[in-house]
């Protein structure tokens, strides 16, 4: 047909109803409306990545969040739903990630496996998980203060606080809507006492009006949520604020400056340990907890031990938990029942998993034997497996050159610091503005003259930082939108995820090039990069490697 129903000769004629949904509006073609015809640009369908309903073919059947993920993450198989889609750093697709966020408890880490164990809750596209706008703060005329009707009044010179709090007999969650309404008119000594501190932080760290209102409103919410009008604020209560559209980090900063904060937040390593051992018998949990506390806090009694880095403790926990879980499934209730033969039975056959489990179990039973929680150390006398080392390999020069010339100043600077001076990702994130003086970087007792390309990119980043966050008081060199109005450092993954390059691989490439340029001068490499003897030998051993000597002069 060459004419629509409105333009047909003798018309206009009313179009027929849609054969699929029965609607009499938005007729498209072949007896179907715009939303039902497969070739219509307004046909509604599900996102091909996260299955959210409400996407259109002109956007390649993808919601806005998945379109962004497709440009930042590679395709792969999800570890939890096993679908072939775009996978983030946690090995999960967006559907599994949003399911875990939906069920996440305040102050707890994401439990991707547990949240997606029995399926996922689908949602509408471009609507879920958007940050709620903070309601505008208005003074109400329903209360009277020393300042008059509807006015906050002067702040108290001293805040009355008590250490004793009457425990709650029955925990009842407050009505969110009533709590939000009360926050709009709440005017207590707490909010008036913290008002000057909020404005001081806002001016010092360059807070926006919205962020300042977020903190003021969060303080009003906490006045209603805390146990009594004279009690200090627990950090665990602040973690509940997002469900009432409150703020966490900046509110904690204000309460800490006011001396009103009780920091009862669990450490992330404690949360990780609790999630890994929640299904073990009670006695095993207590024994493992003694061991983890010794690793984290150290021990001054025999056997004395220094505190370990939380990441090292995480590696030990990850290696030991499979063995302890196998013993618990076999019916054991305590680690005192474990024999050397049972340890050999649970060890992997070979490789790094076996070596890491041996080291973890040796540390575990050594601590338990010293604390007299087991009768004998079943790992005593057992030989340990050597950890398999890897050979550092060079990176593609074109990739490094591309990242050095990145249009983003922070990516270009971070890549230059690692490519020219072999800094670690931790060192880059913890660098202070005062660590660079007169073109020299002072790092861990070493004074490093910065290369000319590094100084050029440093100048470009400092100019961008000053124009982007002119009022930021953050002393760290690398900052982003979230850390600029605060004093904390950016995380170690920034800006490497956006840059698409691994800092460890880039660092190894730099040290490897220096090892070949100096023909294996161990002293020069160790002094230049601050490496240990074992770390230096790892690069010197590659001098005669056939894959790394191509093109070199004989």
């Amino acid at each position: 047909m060459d004419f629509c129903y409105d333009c047909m000769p003798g018309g206009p004629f009313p179009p027929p109803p849609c054969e699929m949904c029965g609607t009499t509006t938005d007729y498209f073609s072949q007896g179907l409306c715009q939303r039902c015809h497969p070739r219509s640009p307004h046909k509604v369908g599900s996102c091909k990545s996260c299955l959210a309903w409400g996407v259109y073919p002109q956007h390649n059947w993808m919601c806005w969040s998945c379109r962004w993920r497709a440009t930042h993450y590679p395709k792969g198989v999800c570890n939890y739903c096993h679908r072939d889609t775009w996978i983030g750093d946690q090995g999960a697709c967006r559907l599994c990630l949003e399911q875990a966020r939906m069920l996440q408890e305040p102050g707890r880490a994401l439990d991707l496996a547990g949240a997606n164990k029995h399926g996922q809750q689908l949602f509408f596209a471009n609507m879920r998980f958007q940050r709620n706008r903070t309601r505008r703060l208005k003074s109400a005329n329903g209360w009277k203060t020393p300042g008059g009707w509807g006015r906050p009044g002067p702040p108290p010179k001293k805040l009355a606080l008590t250490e004793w709090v009457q425990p709650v007999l029955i925990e009842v969650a407050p009505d969110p809507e009533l709590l939000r309404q009360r926050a709009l008119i709440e005017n207590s000594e707490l909010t008036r006492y913290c008002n000057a501190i909020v404005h001081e932080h806002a001016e010092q760290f360059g807070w926006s009006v919205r962020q300042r209102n977020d903190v003021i409103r969060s303080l009003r919410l906490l006045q209603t949520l805390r146990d009594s009008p004279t009690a200090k604020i627990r950090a665990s209560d602040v973690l509940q604020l997002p469900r009432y559209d409150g703020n966490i980090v900046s509110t904690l900063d204000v309460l800490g400056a006011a001396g009103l904060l009780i920091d009862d937040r669990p450490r992330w390593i404690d949360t990780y340990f609790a999630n890994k051992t929640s299904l073990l018998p009670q006695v095993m949990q207590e024994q493992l907890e003694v061991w983890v506390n010794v690793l984290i806090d150290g021990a001054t009694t025999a056997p004395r031990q220094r505190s370990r880095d939380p990441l090292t403790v995480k590696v030990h926990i990850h290696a030991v938990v499979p063995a302890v879980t196998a013993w618990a499934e076999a019916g054991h209730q305590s680690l005192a029942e474990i024999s050397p033969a049972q340890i050999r039975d649970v060890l992997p056959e070979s490789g790094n998993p076996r070596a890491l489990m041996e080291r973890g179990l040796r540390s575990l039973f050594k601590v338990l034997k010293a604390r007299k929680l087991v009768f004998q150390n079943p790992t005593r006398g057992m030989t340990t497996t050597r950890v398999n080392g890897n050979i550092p390999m060079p990176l593609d020069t074109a990739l490094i050159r591309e990242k050095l010339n990145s249009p983003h100043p922070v990516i270009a600077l971070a890549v230059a610091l690692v490519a020219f001076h072999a800094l670690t990702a931790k060192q880059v994130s913890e660098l202070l503005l005062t660590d660079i003086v007169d073109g020299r970087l002072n790092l861990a007792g070493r004074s490093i003259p910065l290369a000319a390309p590094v100084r050029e990119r440093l100048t470009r980043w400092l100019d961008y930082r000053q124009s982007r966050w002119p009022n930021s008081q953050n002393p760290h060199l690398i900052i982003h939108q979230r850390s600029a109005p605060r004093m904390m450092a950016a995380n170690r993954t920034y800006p490497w995820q956006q840059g698409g390059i691994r800092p460890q691989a880039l660092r190894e490439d730099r040290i490897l090039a220096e090892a070949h340029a100096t023909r294996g001068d161990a002293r020069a490499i160790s002094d230049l990069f601050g490496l240990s003897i074992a770390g230096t030998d790892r690069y010197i051993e590659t001098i005669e490697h056939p894959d790394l000597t191509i093109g070199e002069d004989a």
Side-chain angles (χ1 to χ4, degrees), residues 468-521:
R468 182 68 176 83
W469 301 288
N471 298 324
S472 176
Q473 301 295 320
N474 194 317
H476 295 89
L477 176 65
I478 303 295
I479 60 176
H480 48 59
Q481 181 66 30
R482 186 167 178 265
S483 64
R486 303 179 178 92
M487 304 296 287
M488 65 182 186
N491 52 40
R492 300 182 188 179
T493 60
Y494 181 81
W496 304 106
Q497 286 184 346
Q498 294 85 342
I501 188 171
R502 292 179 54 246
Q504 180 61 26
L506 189 61
R507 169 181 162 84
E508 290 181 352
D509 177 88
R510 173 67 183 93
I511 302 176
L512 186 64
E514 189 68 26
H516 284 255
T518 59
R519 294 293 181 179
D521 189 341

Side-chain angles (χ1 to χ4, degrees), residues 519-552:
R519 294 293 181 179
D521 189 341
R523 178 60 183 270
I525 296 172
S526 178
D527 292 342
L528 183 59
F529 302 112
L531 296 177
S532 63
I533 297 176
T536 304
D537 291 341
R538 177 170 174 262
Y539 294 93
I540 294 178
E541 291 173 356
T542 65
I543 298 298
E544 303 299 331
H545 195 281
D547 293 339
L548 301 178
T549 56
I550 299 176
E552 295 185 357

Side-chain angles (χ1 to χ4, degrees), residues 232-265:
K232 288 187 175 182
I233 307 296
R234 296 176 302 188
S236 55
D237 292 336
V238 182
L239 296 178
Q240 308 288 334
L241 291 178
R243 67 178 62 178
Y244 309 112
D245 308 335
N247 180 286
I248 294 180
V249 179
S250 299
T251 305
L252 290 173
D253 293 341
V254 170
L255 291 174
L260 303 176
L261 181 65
I262 300 176
D263 196 349
D264 59 346
R265 290 172 291 179

Side-chain angles (χ1 to χ4, degrees), residues 90 96-105 110 112 115 129:
Q90 297 170 305
C96 295
L97 183 63
E98 299 298 359
Q99 176 70 17
R101 288 174 177 172
M102 185 189 310
L103 302 180
Q104 181 184 14
E105 298 179 3
L110 286 176
L112 288 164
F129 310 109

Side-chain angles (χ1 to χ4, degrees), residues 49-52 63-66 68-69 78 80 83 90 92-104 110-112 115-116 119-124 126-130:
S49 177
C50 67
L51 306 182
C63 64
W64 299 116
S65 298
C66 291
W68 180 88
R69 289 174 66 89
C78 178
Y80 305 98
R83 293 187 304 118
Q90 297 170 305
C93 63
R94 180 172 181 257
L95 177 59
C96 295
L97 183 63
E98 299 298 359
Q99 176 70 17
R101 288 174 177 172
M102 185 189 310
L103 302 180
Q104 181 184 14
L110 286 176
D111 185 9
L112 288 164
N116 295 278
Q120 297 92 3
Q121 173 64 52
L122 299 181
F123 46 87
F124 291 107
N126 309 325
M127 293 182 62
R128 291 184 58 83
F129 310 109
Q130 300 295 325

Side-chain angles (χ1 to χ4, degrees), residues 188-332:
S188 64
E189 290 187 350
L190 173 67
T191 55
R192 286 186 279 120
Y193 181 78
C194 296
N195 185 60
I197 301 176
V198 171
H199 285 79
E200 179 183 348
H201 276 63
E203 182 179 357
Q204 182 178 2
F205 301 118
W207 288 358
S208 63
V209 176
R210 176 182 175 182
Q211 185 175 357
R212 185 187 63 189
N213 274 357
D214 272 347
V215 177
I216 295 176
R217 186 172 180 279
S218 299
L219 292 172
R220 293 181 175 182
L221 290 168
L222 290 171
Q223 177 60 35
T224 305
L225 288 173
R226 65 176 177 170
D227 296 332
S228 71
T230 58
K232 288 187 175 182
I233 307 296
R234 296 176 302 188
S236 55
D237 292 336
V238 182
L239 296 178
Q240 308 288 334
L241 291 178
R243 67 178 62 178
Y244 309 112
D245 308 335
N247 180 286
I248 294 180
V249 179
S250 299
T251 305
L252 290 173
D253 293 341
V254 170
L255 291 174
L260 303 176
L261 181 65
I262 300 176
D263 196 349
D264 59 346
R265 290 172 291 179
R267 296 173 294 189
W268 70 266
I269 189 63
D270 295 332
T271 304
Y272 178 81
F273 172 76
N275 293 336
K276 286 291 185 180
T277 60
S278 59
L279 301 180
L280 296 177
Q282 182 66 27
V283 177
M284 284 188 176
Q285 289 185 23
E286 295 174 355
Q287 293 170 336
L288 290 173
E289 187 175 356
V290 171
W291 168 60
V292 170
N293 289 335
V294 170
L295 291 181
I296 297 176
D297 302 327
T300 56
T301 59
R304 291 186 292 271
Q305 181 173 312
R306 293 181 178 179
S307 60
R308 309 297 295 273
D309 189 272
L311 292 177
T312 303
V313 179
K314 179 181 178 181
V315 172
H316 280 312
I317 296 174
H318 181 76
V320 166
V321 164
V324 180
T325 302
W327 295 329
E329 293 176 351
H332 296 285

